[in-house]
Each structure stands twice: as structure tokens, then as C-alpha cells.
Amino acid sequence: MTAAGAWTLGLAFVYTVALALASRTAHKRADRGEGFFVGSRTFGPWTVAFCITGLFSGSSYIAILELSYRTGISAIWYGVAETVQVLLIALILVKPLRKRLVVTVTGMIGERFGRTAQAIAGTITAFTFPMWSVATAIAFASALHAFTALSIETSIVVTALLLLIFLSAGGMRAVALTQKANCMVFVAMLAVGLAAFFINPGFDGLGRLAGERPEMFLLGNAGITLIVAWFGTFIVNVLLAQAAFQMTMSCRTPEDGRRGMLYAAGLGIPFILIGTLLGVAAAVIVPAQDLGLVAVPLYIAEVLPAPLAGVFFLGVWACALGWAAPCQFSGATSLGRDVGRALRPQATEDDLVRYTRWALVLLTVLMIIFAFLRSEESAWWNVLAWTLRNGATLAPVLAVLFWPLATRRAAYAAMVVGFTTGLAWYHFSDWSPSSFLYGIHPVWVGMSANVLTLVILTLLTAQWQRTRSRKRELQGYAALATGTALAIVAAGFWNVMHPLGFTGLAIFCVTTAGAAAAFLLAVPASGQGALEASVLRRQDERVASLD
């Protein structure tokens, strides 16, 4: 073991013990019943800001370190896309969701489409969250692998077990305590990282790299297909960011939640800039590594004395905890609370807390399995998880918010078809992070299949009529015209758009425009009775709350 490895393990051990003691405090204060899942809705804006910063900025930092080592400054777009997501959630969704006391996206789906839909959505959501957990755990495991004889897989097992012990004790309060501590460690990590850059290679080293590898300084070097997929995934995820919703919904008031999200967007900027800088610096000093997340620890250990290297990788450990802990907890909430309630409607809130703790054990095992399947490429795991989860739940959530006509069976089919289509597209793309079947990213295929299935099956099976509202009719035909125009443009410029990676986005935009037209033009038939009228009234209330 190197000196840097000894410092890294020692500091991580001390920090972990401190978190364990904090966990005991959280256990004493742990909320019962509903409050376990949302901290009894007592968080202030800065608590929300620290939670969101630990969640999104820490994970972005890990992905950007890896991406910038391979693709240069174009990795910055990953962080920009995630920041756009945070801002959109703050400006559009926090207030209406907090007023409705939302806990999970799967709970919203179950409220509208029933217990079976809730069980399907909860199971798929729970399946994907350990993928996000693995994505950041890989980073710290890579550092241990570089400094010690431990394998990456063994390190991830240790991380998973720590998360299980900590989260099962304190619920959302444990997550909040962890994120506050993580944010303090982040400051030290960023400061040490900047010091490493100025020591070596500095801006002179970047100049030399620009002469040798000019592509590292092109903003499109990561590939337009992938960059567009990042933005599309994060923007669509605004409606589905369950872990962020669960943190933000723990706030005292909607205004506190919105302010916390806006603070978090600002706090995330240094992570994006410094992460990009350090990844490119590692490419200068340690240019021959296959894995970026192994190259960065080697670079830091070469430039800095062992104690400072230990501080830096304590920050990486905090990033892993900051993303993985909320993901594991939110996934367990979907499986234990939502699926548990769907399977056993008479369960009490205390029963659901117990199911959630059992679910944490199951997701820990799943996280370890994923780590053994692929213990590299952090960003790939993130995007795969978004592809599968968004491909299953996007259409049902849109229907909850905007389309009372949608049927339960259409929702069931949409979730299954979207999930399996995204998974199959990845399979036939050989699970590649950048090369895809027909040059189209699976995220667009899965979400398009999800939306199309819901719309087509609903129109084929439900009793509906064209809207009698002149305003909705005009809006519906405008959406239909927009979709038609987009389809014509995409077909006419296919040879130009396809090499740039825009065809998948074009297909999804056409699909979305067509769905919007259906949402506006097709309404429950007047003879369907009081049930549809009641659903329509609730739908109008939801739409009004978003204004």
C-alpha cells in the first residue's frame, strides 16, 4: 500500500466512524410513519441546498473527472445539462409538488392508475437506483484499486454495506446529515484539487496538451449524439427526478424548497469547472491509462504529498456517499413503500418503513451484482439508469398531469414496453457508451416507445371524443402541425442530422408533439359517466397548479 493509499483509507475510516455516530443521532431522532420518508417536512432552504448539491454536484463531478480525461473540455456539457435540470425543477415543479405532498413519482402513478401500475413503476424504479449508486461508488473504488491491493469490486461491496447500515437507521434525516457533512468535505477536495493543478501541469501544461491533442479542447469532442442525449435525458428527468423530489419535498414550505434548489444550482458550478480542469490535467501527467477514474488518483498522488492526496480522495468518497445514499434510499422507498402498499393496501405507515428497510438490503445486493457486471464508466451507468427509468415512467407521469383519458392497461403496457425497448436497444448496441444501433441513443428509443404505446393503446381502447373546447382544439392542431413539420424536416435533412446525432432527438420530438396533440384533442366521451368527469376535474386542478 502506498502512503497516499494509507492516508485515503485512514481518513475514510475516520469519516465513516463520524458518520456512524451521526447515524446514531439520526436513529434517536428518526421519524416514524410518513415522516421517515420526508424528514417530517422540516428542512430549511440550506438543508435542501446541501442535499441537492451532494446528490447532483457530487455525481456530476465524478462523471466529469472521467469524461474530461477521455474527451477534454467537452465534458463540461454534462454538468451544464444537470444544472439546467436543477433550475427547471426549482422554477417549475417544486411548488405544485410540495403542495400536493408528493413523496415519490411511483406514488403519483399509483394514485392515478391503481395498485398494479404502482407496483410496476415501483419495481422498475427500484431496479434502476442501484445503477446510479454504483456509478459513484466506482470512483472511490478506483482510487483504492490504484493505491492498494483491493479490487474495485471488493471496495464497492464495502461501500454498499456502509450505505445499508447508515440508511436503515435514520431514513431521510440520515441522508440530510450525510449531505451536510459531505458538503464540508467537498470544499477541502476542490481546494486541494486546484492546488494540484497549479503545481503541475498548470496552464503551461494545458498549452502543451493543446498542441499535441487539439481535440481535447473542442467543445464537441465527446460526440454530438452523446451531448444531445445528456441534455435530453436531464430535461426529461425534470418530471421524474424522484430522489431530488424526495429531498425537496422534505422542506418546510414550497418557497424554502425552491430557494434551496436555486442555491444548489449555484453551488454546483465549481464542481463542473474544477472537475473538467482536473480531468484534463490528469491527461497531461498520466496520459496512458485506459480508465479515467484510475488515472486521476495516480495524477493526484504523483503531484501532491500523501496527506493532501488523502484529503482529495476523502472528497471523492463523500461524492460517492452523496449520490449513492439518496439513490439507495429513494429506490428502497419505491420498492418498500410504493410496491409494499400496492401489494398490501392495509399496511400501516410503520409497516411501510419496515418494508423499506428490507428493500434497502435487497438493493444493496443488487448494487453489488451490478458492480461485478461492470466496474467502470461511471457516466455510462448513470445514463443507462435514466434510459430505463425514464423509458418506463415518462408517459404515465405525463398522463397524470395532462391526460385524464389514459387507461390503466395502456399505462401498464407503456411502462413495460418502454423499459424493455431501452434495455434491448442497449443490448443490440453491445452495451457501448458511445456507439449505438443505427446511431440512435437508446434513451430516445425507450421514451418514444413509452409515449407511443400509451397514446395508441388509449385511443384504441378508451371511449373518447374530440374536444369541444375551441382553445384546446386550436392548441391540439398546432401541436399536430408542429409534429408534422418536424417529421418533414427530419426526413428532408436526415443525411445531415444523422451524422450529428440529432435523429433520435427528432424522433422523440415528433412523438412528443403527436402525444401533445392527442392529450389536447381526445377527451373522455360524454357518456362515460361520473368517473371520467371526476378524473377530468382533478386533471384541471393539477394543470392549474403548474401555472
Side-chain angles (χ1 to χ4, degrees):
M1 180 185 298
T2 65
W7 274 95
T8 298
L9 285 174
L11 289 174
F13 176 77
V14 172
Y15 185 63
T16 301
V17 169
L19 288 181
L21 295 174
S23 177
R24 291 179 63 86
T25 302
H27 179 69
K28 293 176 182 178
R29 298 178 58 199
D31 307 286
R32 297 180 63 82
E34 178 82 6
F36 178 81
F37 303 103
V38 289
S40 293
R41 304 194 191 274
T42 58
F43 291 1
W46 279 108
T47 300
V48 172
F50 292 144
C51 286
I52 297 299
T53 299
L55 176 71
F56 285 133
S57 297
S59 67
S60 287
Y61 183 75
I62 297 299
I64 290 169
L65 281 175
E66 180 186 31
L67 289 166
S68 58
Y69 179 80
R70 294 188 288 105
T71 67
I73 66 170
S74 62
I76 201 171
W77 292 119
Y78 187 95
V80 173
E82 196 151 34
T83 302
V84 170
Q85 173 190 239
V86 173
L87 290 172
L88 289 175
I89 293 172
L91 298 175
I92 297 174
L93 287 182
V94 168
K95 284 191 174 182
L97 291 182
R98 177 61 178 82
K99 288 176 180 177
R100 293 184 62 203
L101 301 180
V102 167
V103 176
T104 62
V105 169
T106 50
M108 290 173 57
I109 293 172
E111 180 185 337
R112 170 66 174 84
F113 293 109
R115 290 164 49 195
T116 301
Q118 184 165 311
I120 295 171
T123 302
I124 290 174
T125 298
F127 175 77
T128 58
F129 269 105
M131 297 179 184
W132 282 305
S133 302
V134 168
T136 48
I138 287 171
F140 187 76
S142 297
L144 292 183
H145 176 66
F147 296 150
T148 70
L150 292 176
S151 67
I152 292 177
E153 290 82 1
T154 301
S155 301
I156 292 177
V157 169
V158 173
T159 303
L161 293 176
L162 171 66
L163 291 171
L164 171 63
I165 294 169
F166 187 76
L167 288 173
S168 62
M172 182 53 71
R173 287 196 185 275
V175 172
L177 284 171
T178 303
Q179 299 297 47
K180 289 178 181 178
N182 287 341
C183 285
M184 291 187 284
V185 175
F186 291 159
V187 174
M189 174 189 68
L190 295 175
V192 169
L194 275 178
F197 170 77
F198 284 112
I199 292 171
N200 194 17
F203 289 108
D204 290 340
L206 295 187
R208 293 193 301 273
L209 182 66
E212 297 169 0
R213 299 175 61 189
E215 73 278 4
M216 293 288 282
F217 295 87
L218 297 177
L219 286 172
N221 191 42
I224 300 300
T225 300
L226 191 57
I227 293 171
V228 171
W230 292 340
F231 275 92
T233 299
F234 283 126
I235 290 173
V236 170
N237 199 57
V238 167
L239 293 171
L240 306 169
Q242 176 169 300
F245 291 165
Q246 200 166 351
M247 290 176 171
T248 309
M249 296 308 106
S250 300
C251 60
R252 290 188 300 256
T253 66
E255 291 73 20
D256 283 347
R258 172 173 288 181
R259 283 200 300 273
M261 293 289 287
L262 294 175
Y263 295 163
L267 292 173
I269 294 174
F271 291 83
I272 299 170
L273 299 178
I274 296 174
T276 302
L277 196 65
L278 293 179
V280 176
V284 176
I285 305 302
V286 191
Q289 287 294 320
D290 293 331
L291 301 177
L293 289 178
V294 173
V296 171
L298 294 175
Y299 158 62
I300 295 295
E302 180 175 328
V303 172
L304 294 176
L308 289 180
V311 170
F312 181 85
F313 289 106
L314 177 62
V316 174
W317 173 248
C319 289
L321 292 178
W323 175 252
C327 285
Q328 290 292 90
F329 183 70
S330 195
T333 301
S334 282
L335 188 59
R337 180 182 185 273
D338 295 335
V339 176
R341 177 172 283 165
L343 297 178
R344 188 168 176 259
Q346 71 273 23
T348 66
E349 287 292 340
D350 287 340
D351 289 334
L352 299 179
V353 170
R354 185 170 63 257
Y355 301 160
T356 298
R357 287 179 169 141
W358 294 347
L360 278 168
V361 176
L362 180 59
L363 295 193
T364 299
V365 174
L366 194 58
M367 176 182 170
I368 293 170
I369 292 172
F370 288 155
F372 277 83
L373 290 175
R374 188 169 191 154
S375 55
E376 58 187 29
E377 295 176 338
S378 170
W380 180 87
W381 274 113
N382 282 335
V383 176
L384 172 64
W386 272 308
T387 298
L388 300 181
R389 197 277 307 273
N390 294 3
T393 58
L394 174 60
V397 169
L398 290 176
V400 167
L401 296 173
F402 304 113
W403 205 28
L405 182 67
T407 65
R408 292 188 175 191
R409 290 184 179 180
Y412 306 158
M415 287 188 282
V416 174
V417 169
F419 176 84
T420 55
T421 301
L423 192 66
W425 205 268
Y426 257 114
H427 170 73
F428 290 114
S429 301
D430 295 324
W431 307 101
S432 170
S434 56
S435 299
F436 309 108
L437 183 66
Y438 303 126
I440 300 174
H441 197 288
V443 71
W444 305 123
V445 181
M447 292 191 300
S448 297
N450 178 242
V451 173
L452 278 173
T453 301
L454 179 87
V455 171
I456 292 173
L457 286 183
T458 296
L459 294 178
L460 288 176
T461 59
Q463 298 179 29
W464 60 276
Q465 64 184 26
R466 194 175 69 182
T467 182
R468 295 171 182 171
S469 167
R470 181 62 175 168
K471 179 181 178 181
R472 288 176 64 91
E473 188 176 46
L474 290 175
Q475 292 173 337
Y477 285 130
L480 190 61
T482 300
T484 303
L486 287 172
I488 292 172
V489 170
F493 292 91
W494 184 271
N495 292 335
V496 176
M497 297 175 64
H498 192 64
L500 295 175
F502 286 117
T503 48
L505 174 61
I507 292 170
F508 178 68
C509 288
V510 171
T511 301
T512 303
F519 292 177
L520 291 162
L521 294 173
V523 298
S526 57
Q528 281 188 268
L531 177 60
E532 289 77 8
S534 174
V535 171
L536 186 56
R537 283 196 300 273
R538 292 199 302 269
Q539 186 69 29
D540 291 339
E541 291 171 0
R542 293 190 184 104
V543 173
S545 71
L546 293 173
D547 293 337

